[in-house]
Amino acid sequence: QVQLVESGGGSVQTGGSVRLSCAASGYTYNNFCMAWYRQAPGKEREGVAAIDSDGVTTYVDSVKGRFTISKDTENLYLQMNNLKPEDAATYTCAIDLHYGMGSAGECGQVDYWGKGTLVTISS
């Protein structure tokens, strides 16, 4: 059973940084896509950053140059720098075991989702 468990959220000041982690377990696929999505209250969920099994990364335009997605054998990370009020959201990690990369910052078709971690931005 694939499990994705996020951590690292919290309250951060505008301009600050935070690193999110996602512990991933239960899968043995060699080709996959993992991504971070976010959803703010009253808004649709959007893909933020994605990485495939070869280490290729994509980002939504609004976070380029500020966010960095990375992974190791057991974890997915999102380093978030120069945070803005509009970055406040629940961030969820996801894995696609079949379709690979989708649009910028997304996987093609997510198979499993984590439960999310909340990031709030204070001025």
Side-chain angles (χ1 to χ4, degrees):
Q1 180 70 23
V2 176
Q3 287 191 322
L4 303 172
V5 180
E6 301 93 340
S7 61
S11 181
V12 186
Q13 286 192 329
T14 299
S17 299
V18 68
R19 189 191 197 203
L20 305 182
S21 299
C22 174
S25 62
Y27 68 98
T28 57
Y29 289 76
N30 292 323
N31 297 312
F32 57 84
C33 170
M34 296 188 75
W36 288 96
Y37 291 76
R38 68 184 178 187
Q39 187 168 21
K43 295 187 177 181
E44 293 187 356
R45 182 171 57 200
E46 67 168 346
V48 174
I51 186 168
D52 69 11
S53 48
D54 292 325
V56 177
T57 59
T58 65
Y59 298 89
V60 68
D61 284 345
S62 60
V63 308
K64 284 182 179 178
R66 301 188 298 121
F67 290 12
T68 303
I69 189 171
S70 62
K71 64 179 178 64
D72 59 28
T73 54
E74 296 180 343
N75 297 282
L76 179 71
Y77 304 101
L78 186 66
Q79 178 67 43
M80 304 161 63
N81 297 329
N82 190 21
L83 284 161
K84 302 177 180 181
E86 55 264 38
D87 294 319
T90 295
Y91 286 75
T92 304
C93 72
I95 188 167
D96 170 352
L97 299 174
H98 301 96
Y99 292 93
M101 289 287 210
S103 300
E106 299 184 349
C107 294
Q109 184 169 318
V110 173
D111 293 299
Y112 296 95
W113 297 90
K115 293 185 177 180
T117 185
L118 180 64
V119 176
T120 58
I121 312 295
S122 60
S123 58

